[in-house]
């Protein structure tokens, strides 16, 4: 416990600042290099603090800068502060605040270092803390990479603790008692005689009191909120009563409504357009060319979408291959091509020698493009005036949006305000901002009037910036009933440079680790073990999709490992355990065996089960899937899952993220893909882009271990093992080994 | 034309072919019903017309006959409907965007099928899409809601 306290004192300087009518607690900023995010809300001259807690006579406000896309981030951030502050978080106002560079995310880049996450040796750790520096430089207030919990775990609790002790000091000064004799409870300082003083009554005086910064964090055994099974999410009542206002629900006086159609060949330009039909339609106010497309501003979203559909636009060509067949040919050609060689971060033993003779087992895998398709289509509300630009949107990248809007409008970045809205899902889609750029362009055409632009579902799916397609060639060998050699070569277009290129208008040099993330970094001691990434040319512009590189590599790596184990005649679970060289991961594999009563893959006639393992974002996850081959097709009966991401702070929401991740992984593996014809995805709505429905959902049993030395996020790591565990189970039940996703191209599902 | 939503009658001046969803959202500012697909695939736009669940993105406003209830009229944070109560008890929502539609679908289903079997729940609730994968908790919450409605 004091270990955490010491780290905190060394790394963060929590302080306080006076605000109008009260006090704010938060991190002091090194040399004030980064401007303060709540500048507009704070009294002058107090800009040197990044507040996480604000208290005035009217109440307590908790500031939770990491975006909540549905994964419960606001609740967990509020609970971390409230645990030390001794308040009921339901009585506080919880707000993401204004985005500011001081909320930089030091963890999201930390996984980009060339060390597997299980390697916590001195060099790896030094590299990881070094990576926090470029994150700060880039001023990334990014939510992603399952980084919210690891990044907030210490600093938000420290903010709560400093606030609590300072409020006690104010009460001590007032009453003449010693701070040590006071305690706190439910928003009050409690005196030895049992009388109470509310924090709100102490706030004004706290502003003039030096903050008490020599505090230690409470031991987890003392927690009242964190780790407790029945802690409700703060947004649950609103989300079950239709009273949560998402970005798409944002409303303003005099607001107009809009929609956009951009070139379905992504990045292609507009040759020309005829708006005659659209112009005369009811409610249409303006027709405005925007980047790569045309927008309609109207008095109602439906009318805007109707008018967009009536536009006659001639599109220029996109500069990538027109069809899926050509795209996959290009990906396959990259593998083994010296010019396309990108990186080899795993090269143990001598693979070439090991595979020079004897029986070599070979296989190739194929992964499709996938849309993120959160249920809320992308939207934004923007008002541009002569000297300010205001943006209301659900986003993971508010600062990139601010800077891009400044560029488009010519308004200084300090006068661009991004108000982050509650989000109807993301899965990585909100790491993009094309829809916001388009809305800014529309709003500039009707200065002073707010414009809410909503993409139709068809526009959203067409412009999804999908998960990259990937292919791989695998070779391996078994000796004496054991896996002896494993060689995987993966071909994919670069995701990181595609994304950064759009965000920052610059290309990122160097290798793209996402091509092999989820393969090269797995904790197995195979004697001859090699993973190579080949970078195919840029094709369809691509982006991060829930669990990023591991979403495809998890399938290819574990799928081929399963093939080798089968060829060796070994038990799939026992051999994975034998090969596993990482203690925490091995315990996860052993525990999934206990949970599922593992006794081989055979479950009787027409039934079977498979196991899969993937470590991503530092979290080892093992899953066992049980299926029945019914007359109607494959039915997924049951899934067992064991994870280890360190201490669990919110068990109910944690379980929701684990089961949600599994269902997301299974559903897309079963039936989802984007295929291309004429540069366009052939799927643009949920009739053709299929995923899992309730009746197909298995019973899921999960268990969380906490042997891991670090706390990690759980929003993504349960996705990667689901697809290979399902494919391995189908193999056990039917003898059919499926190496190309989606699975329903090869077998039907009940 | 006149439209009765959650007990209040509104006068709306729109073309009869406008889907009810957009009349509710953009003309009346009732935003509980959500736009997810516009083609009857997701159920996020589900409302009740005289107690029966309908997809408001598919119902032209000119064809509406009856009283409309949206999630806002089903129950409120201060006075929850049994289905909403069960949803909160099971902490169903993740992003929550599909949940207005899920709850409206469940509420109407439980009127016609007060004591559903597991299979009936699966059938009835499979027409509503949830991209976050909240299905296991939806199953559990429908059962709890049925028990609550039956006074158990
Ligand atoms: S929006 Fe009506 S069913 Fe999807
Ligand atoms: S809770 Fe997000 S779509 Fe259902």
């Amino acid at each position: 416990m004091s270990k955490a306290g010491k780290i905190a004192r060394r790394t963060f300087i929590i302080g306080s600042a006076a605000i109008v009518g009260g006090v704010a607690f938060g991190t002091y900023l090194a040399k004030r290099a980064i401007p303060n995010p709540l500048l507009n809300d704070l009294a002058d001259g107090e800009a040197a603090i990044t507040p996480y807690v604000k208290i005035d006579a009217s109440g307590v406000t908790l500031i939770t800068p990491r975006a909540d896309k549905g994964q419960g981030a606001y609740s967990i951030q509020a609970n971390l502060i409230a645990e030390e502050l001794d308040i009921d978080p339901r009585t506080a106002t919880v707000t993401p605040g204004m985005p500011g560079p001081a909320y930089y995310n030091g963890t999201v880049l930390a996984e980009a270092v060339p060390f597997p996450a299980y390697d916590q040796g001195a060099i790896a750790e030094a590299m990881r803390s070094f990576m926090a520096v470029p994150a700060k430089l880039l001023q990334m207030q990014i939510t992603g990479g399952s980084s919210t919990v690891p990044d907030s775990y210490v600093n938000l609790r420290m903010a709560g603790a400093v606030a609590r002790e300072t409020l006690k000091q104010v009460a001590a000064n007032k009453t003449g008692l010693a701070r040590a004799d006071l305690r706190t409870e439910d928003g009050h300082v409690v005196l030895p005689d049992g009388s109470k003083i509310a924090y709100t009554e102490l706030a004004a005086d706290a502003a003039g009191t030096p903050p008490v910064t020599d505090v230690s964090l409470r031991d987890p055994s003392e927690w009242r909120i964190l780790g407790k099974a029945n802690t409700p999410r703060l947004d649950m009542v609103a989300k079950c009563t239709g009273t949560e206002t998402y970005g798409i629900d944002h409303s303003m006086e005099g607001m107009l409504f809009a929609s956009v159609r951009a070139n379905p060949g992504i990045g292609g330009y507009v040759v020309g357009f005829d708006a005659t039909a659209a112009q005369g339609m009811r409610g249409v106010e303006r027709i405005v060319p925007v980047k790569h497309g045309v927008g309609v501003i109207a008095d109602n979203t439906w009318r805007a979408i109707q008018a967009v559909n009536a536009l006659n636009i001639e599109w220029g060509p996109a500069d990538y291959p027109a069809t899926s067949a050509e795209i996959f040919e290009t990906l396959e050609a990259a593998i083994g091509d010296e010019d396309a060689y990108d990186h080899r971060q795993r090269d143990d033993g001598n693979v070439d020698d090991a595979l020079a003779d004897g029986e070599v087992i070979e296989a190739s895998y194929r992964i499709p493009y996938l849309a993120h398709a959160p249920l809320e289509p992308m939207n934004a509300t923007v008002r541009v005036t002569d000297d300010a630009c205001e943006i209301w949107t659900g986003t993971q990248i508010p600062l990139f949006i601010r800077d891009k809007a400044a560029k488009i409008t010519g308004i200084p970045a300090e006068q661009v305000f991004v108000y982050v809205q509650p989000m109807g899902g993301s899965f990585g889609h909100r790491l993009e901002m094309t829809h916001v750029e388009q809305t800014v362009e529309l709003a500039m055409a009707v200065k002073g009037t707010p414009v809410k632009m909503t993409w139709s579902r068809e526009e959203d799916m067409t412009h999804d910036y999908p998960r990259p397609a990937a292919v791989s060639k695998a070779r391996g060998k078994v000796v004496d009933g054991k896996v002896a050699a494993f060689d995987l070569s993966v071909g994919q277009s670069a995701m990181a440079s595609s994304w950064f290129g759009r965000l920052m208008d610059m290309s990122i040099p160097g290798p793209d680790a996402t091509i092999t993330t989820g393969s090269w970094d797995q904790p197995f001691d195979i004697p001859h073990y090699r993973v190579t990434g080949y970078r195919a040319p840029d094709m369809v512009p691509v982006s991060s999709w829930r669990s990023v590189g591991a979403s495809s590599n998890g399938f290819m790596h574990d799928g081929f490992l399963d093939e080798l184990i089968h060829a060796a005649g070994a038990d799939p679970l026992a051999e994975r355990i034998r090969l596993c060289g990482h203690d925490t991961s091995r315990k996860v594999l052993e525990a999934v065996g206990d949970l599922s009563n593992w006794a081989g893959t055979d479950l009787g006639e027409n039934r079977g089960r498979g196991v899969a393992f993937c470590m991503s974002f530092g979290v080892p996850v093992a899953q066992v899937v049980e299926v029945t081959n019914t007359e109607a097709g494959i039915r997924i009966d049951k899934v067992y899952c064991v994870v280890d991401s360190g201490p669990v702070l919110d068990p109910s929401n944690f379980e929701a993220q684990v089961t949600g991740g599994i269902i997301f992984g299974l559903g897309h593996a079963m039936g989802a893909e984007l295929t291309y014809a004429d540069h366009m995805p052939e799927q643009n709505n949920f009739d053709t882009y299929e995923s899992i429905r309730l009746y197909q959902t298995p019973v899921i049993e999960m268990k969380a271990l906490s042997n891991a030395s670090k706390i990690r996020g759980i929003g993504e790591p349960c996705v990667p093992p689901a697809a290979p565990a399902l494919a391995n189970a189908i193999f056990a039940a039917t003898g059919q080994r499926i190496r190309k996703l989606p699975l329903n191209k090869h077998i039907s599902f009940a | 034309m006149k439209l009765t939503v959650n007990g209040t009658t509104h006068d709306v001046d729109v073309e009869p072919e406008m889907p009810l969803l957009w009349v509710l959202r953009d003309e009346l500012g009732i935003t509980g019903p959500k736009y997810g697909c516009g083609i009857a695939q997701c159920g996020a736009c589900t409302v009740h017309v005289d107690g029966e669940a309908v997809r408001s993105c598919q119902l032209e406003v000119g064809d509406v006959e009856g009283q409309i209830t949206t999630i806002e009229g089903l129950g409120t944070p201060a006075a929850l409907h049994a289905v909403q109560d069960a949803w909160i008890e099971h902490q169903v929502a993740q992003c929550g965007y599909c949940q207005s539609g899920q709850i409206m679908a469940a509420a109407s289903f439980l009127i016609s099928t007060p004591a559903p079997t597991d299979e009936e729940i699966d059938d009835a609730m499979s027409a509503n899409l949830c991209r976050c994968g909240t299905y296991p908790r939806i199953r559990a919450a429908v059962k709890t809601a049925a028990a609550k409605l039956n006074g158990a």
Side-chain angles (χ1 to χ4, degrees):
Chain A
M1 168 243 150
S2 51
K3 194 175 162 219
K6 242 182 260 155
I7 291 168
R9 276 198 294 274
R10 219 175 42 223
T11 317
F12 305 100
I13 311 163
I14 303 280
S16 65
I19 57 172
V20 180
V23 62
F25 296 90
T27 41
Y28 275 120
L29 304 172
K31 300 185 182 64
R32 305 184 53 163
I34 301 174
N36 184 271
L38 286 186
L39 198 54
N40 299 299
D41 293 352
L42 292 170
D44 255 11
E46 300 299 347
I49 192 168
T50 298
Y52 293 112
V53 183
K54 293 200 291 176
I55 307 173
D56 62 20
S58 67
V60 177
T61 302
L62 305 179
I63 296 138
T64 56
R66 295 276 171 269
D68 198 324
K69 304 100 74 179
Q71 85 284 38
Y74 287 161
S75 285
I76 192 67
Q77 293 173 88
N79 288 344
L80 282 163
I81 303 171
E83 182 64 70
E84 291 286 344
L85 184 55
D86 284 337
I87 58 161
D88 179 344
R90 284 169 292 186
T91 63
T93 305
V94 179
T95 164
M98 287 299 292
Y103 298 116
Y104 75 93
N105 187 336
T107 305
V108 75
L109 275 192
E111 296 308 334
V113 297
F115 297 91
Y118 59 82
D119 177 2
Q120 290 179 17
I123 299 173
E125 284 303 287
M127 280 294 284
R128 258 179 219 113
S129 53
F130 172 73
M131 289 307 286
V133 178
K136 193 169 187 173
L137 288 178
L138 288 168
Q139 301 195 343
M140 284 180 163
Q141 185 188 350
I142 291 178
T143 305
S146 290
S147 62
T148 297
V149 165
D151 216 46
S152 313
Y153 184 51
V154 174
N155 59 356
L156 291 185
R157 284 185 298 151
M158 281 303 285
V162 169
R164 180 194 71 223
E165 289 305 312
T166 307
L167 291 163
K168 278 164 70 178
Q169 187 60 52
V170 175
N173 297 347
K174 264 193 161 162
T175 57
L177 295 159
R179 174 161 62 95
D181 294 334
L182 307 179
R183 57 190 187 85
T184 49
E185 189 184 297
D186 200 13
H188 294 77
V189 175
V190 185
L191 308 186
D193 66 1
S195 59
K196 295 178 174 182
I197 313 173
Y199 290 171
T200 47
E201 289 170 38
L202 300 167
D205 287 339
T209 305
V212 180
T213 54
D214 185 25
V215 296
S216 298
L217 294 175
R218 285 178 176 153
D219 189 82
S221 64
E222 296 171 45
W223 285 348
R224 303 161 299 114
I225 305 170
L226 300 174
K228 295 292 177 262
N230 52 0
T231 303
R233 273 175 62 149
L234 300 172
D235 52 0
M236 192 56 67
V237 172
K239 286 179 173 175
C240 295
T241 51
T243 52
E244 179 80 309
T245 45
Y246 298 86
I248 202 169
D249 304 324
H250 187 70
S251 178
M252 295 172 74
E253 189 67 36
M255 180 177 83
L256 290 171
F257 303 81
S259 198
V260 160
R261 171 76 30 92
N263 195 326
I266 315 298
Y269 51 88
V270 174
V271 177
F273 67 95
D274 174 7
T276 325
Q279 207 100 52
M281 291 171 73
R282 179 165 173 188
V284 171
E285 305 257 343
R286 294 287 292 272
I287 293 175
V288 184
V290 296
K291 192 175 171 187
H292 303 305
V294 183
V296 174
I297 302 175
D299 61 357
N300 172 298
T301 306
W302 181 75
R303 289 181 183 135
I305 293 174
Q306 297 302 107
V308 160
N309 290 339
L311 291 168
N312 198 341
I313 312 174
E314 192 190 332
W315 303 117
D319 66 353
Y320 50 85
T323 66
S324 285
E326 294 167 74
I327 288 168
F328 278 105
E329 269 167 39
T330 311
L331 290 172
E332 264 147 25
I335 292 184
D337 176 354
E338 257 175 55
D339 293 338
Y341 173 88
D342 196 70
H343 60 270
R344 179 175 284 162
Q345 297 191 97
R346 164 81 68 183
D347 194 0
D348 302 342
N350 189 325
V351 168
D352 288 330
D353 282 359
L355 296 179
D357 52 33
E359 196 195 334
V360 176
I361 297 160
E362 293 185 296
S364 25
Y365 287 81
R366 184 185 273 203
I367 306 285
Y369 289 108
L370 284 180
H372 304 79
L375 200 55
E376 179 194 11
M378 293 302 99
N379 59 81
T381 305
V382 177
R383 176 165 59 194
V384 176
T385 56
D386 282 338
D387 49 14
C389 174
E390 300 159 280
I391 300 170
W392 293 262
T393 195
T395 181
Q396 294 168 254
I397 47 163
L399 293 173
F400 288 100
I401 285 180
R402 180 200 63 190
D403 292 348
K404 188 72 100 172
K407 215 174 203 178
I408 295 169
T409 57
I411 291 167
E414 310 83 74
Q415 286 299 110
V416 177
F417 304 97
V418 181
Y419 305 94
V420 177
Q421 302 296 297
M423 297 170 226
S426 173
F427 316 120
H429 201 18
R430 296 175 195 273
L431 291 163
E432 299 289 342
M433 58 186 183
T434 303
H435 55 290
V436 185
E437 295 173 56
Q438 293 168 338
T439 314
V440 170
E441 291 181 86
L442 294 172
M444 285 171 74
V446 287
K447 271 207 176 158
T449 303
V451 176
K452 176 161 75 177
M453 194 290 292
T454 305
W455 271 355
S456 66
R457 170 57 59 194
E458 290 79 8
E459 186 72 7
D460 189 285
M461 206 174 277
T462 303
H463 293 270
D464 184 277
Y465 301 116
R467 187 271 298 270
V471 298
S472 65
K473 285 200 167 65
R475 300 162 72 231
K477 193 169 166 181
V478 297
V479 175
D480 296 338
K482 293 173 182 156
V483 175
F486 181 111
D487 182 22
L488 185 74
S489 299
V490 182
Q492 190 196 291
S493 302
M495 190 282 287
S497 71
S498 179
W499 178 55
F500 266 110
R502 284 188 297 283
L503 251 53
M504 307 187 75
D505 300 313
M506 65 186 205
S507 67
I508 298 287
D512 186 344
T514 67
I515 296 172
T516 60
T517 305
S519 300
W520 78 271
D521 48 1
Q522 297 306 297
F524 293 111
D525 290 339
I526 301 171
H528 306 282
Y529 191 11
R530 185 165 77 180
V531 177
T532 313
Y534 292 93
R535 180 173 179 162
D538 291 348
M539 292 188 278
V540 177
V542 286
S543 193
S544 294
W545 187 90
R546 192 176 186 177
S547 80
V548 202
S551 77
S552 32
N553 279 281
F555 179 73
M556 301 188 285
H557 183 279
D558 190 278
F560 189 59
L561 185 60
D562 204 68
E563 293 200 51
L564 293 179
I565 294 172
H566 178 74
D571 176 78
L573 181 62
E575 181 66 353
R576 281 178 178 79
I577 291 170
R578 188 189 70 80
L579 289 169
C580 185
H582 176 233
D583 209 39
T584 309
S585 298
R586 194 178 325 102
K587 286 181 178 142
V588 163
L589 280 161
E590 286 164 355
V592 88
D594 292 342
L595 189 68
S596 65
N597 286 314
W598 181 269
T601 58
D602 189 13
L603 290 176
E605 182 101 22
N606 285 324
R607 300 199 64 216
R609 65 178 158 193
V611 60
F613 173 91
C614 186
M615 181 174 194
S616 60
F617 306 93
V619 180
V621 182
Q623 291 170 13
V624 168
V625 170
E626 296 181 350
V627 301
T628 302
N629 191 15
T630 72
E631 258 167 38
I634 295 289
R635 185 184 68 221
I636 309 173
D637 300 314
K638 185 132 193 195
V639 178
Y640 302 90
C641 178
V642 176
V643 308
D644 193 337
S645 57
V648 173
L649 301 180
D650 51 347
S652 163
N653 189 49
F654 187 93
E655 196 241 23
Q657 289 304 305
V658 170
T659 53
I662 292 169
I663 292 166
F664 197 78
L666 292 174
H668 290 89
M670 286 162 68
E673 64 176 336
L674 291 183
T675 56
Y676 286 75
D678 207 9
H679 304 285
M680 280 178 257
E682 294 178 288
Q683 298 74 18
N684 67 9
N685 207 323
F686 294 117
D687 52 346
T688 44
Y689 189 73
E690 287 174 59
S691 189
I692 194 166
R693 297 272 174 171
L694 185 138
Y695 76 95
Q696 298 169 308
T697 303
V699 174
I700 300 172
E701 246 182 76
M702 65 142 284
K703 187 176 165 124
L705 306 181
S706 51
N707 301 311
S709 56
K710 276 192 175 180
I711 191 161
R712 307 272 189 177
I714 198 64
E716 298 175 274
C718 291
V719 177
L726 174 56
N728 296 344
I730 291 171
F731 175 71
T734 67
Q736 188 180 350
R737 181 69 75 181
I738 304 175
R739 303 183 182 89
K740 292 181 180 165
L741 296 178
L743 300 166
N744 73 350
K745 282 261 173 92
H746 314 277
I747 202 161
S748 42
F749 285 88
Chain B
M1 73 189 73
K2 291 212 187 303
L3 219 51
T4 309
V5 187
N6 302 329
T8 307
T9 302
H10 303 265
D11 236 321
V12 289
D13 172 23
V14 297
E15 46 279 55
E17 62 271 21
M18 186 181 288
L20 174 63
L21 173 65
W22 294 110
V23 179
L24 293 171
R25 290 184 54 81
D26 286 6
E27 302 295 319
L28 302 178
I30 297 168
T31 55
K34 301 297 188 216
Y35 168 63
C37 71
I39 59 163
Q41 289 292 315
C42 75
C45 63
T46 305
V47 301
H48 293 176
V49 178
D50 287 342
E52 205 168 310
V54 298
R55 308 212 149 187
S56 65
C57 73
Q58 296 302 300
L59 181 61
E60 294 187 0
V61 65
D63 292 340
V64 174
E65 276 174 37
Q67 305 258 338
I68 299 155
T69 308
T70 70
I71 182 91
E72 291 96 332
L74 188 73
T76 62
L80 296 167
H81 183 273
V83 174
Q84 293 169 317
D85 200 17
W87 245 246
I88 292 164
E89 190 178 318
H90 288 276
Q91 296 281 298
V92 173
Q94 289 187 31
C95 85
Y97 195 77
C98 71
Q99 301 298 346
S100 297
Q102 304 276 9
I103 289 168
M104 294 307 279
S108 137
F109 164 63
L110 290 173
I111 293 171
S112 59
T113 319
T117 63
D118 288 1
E119 208 178 316
E120 285 170 327
I121 293 174
D122 276 18
D123 282 353
M125 297 305 295
S126 282
N128 285 61
L129 191 64
C130 175
R131 292 286 295 157
C132 299
T134 62
Y135 300 133
R137 290 190 182 185
I138 290 175
R139 271 187 184 134
V142 171
K143 283 189 199 170
T144 300
K148 281 184 200 283
L149 287 164
N150 294 334

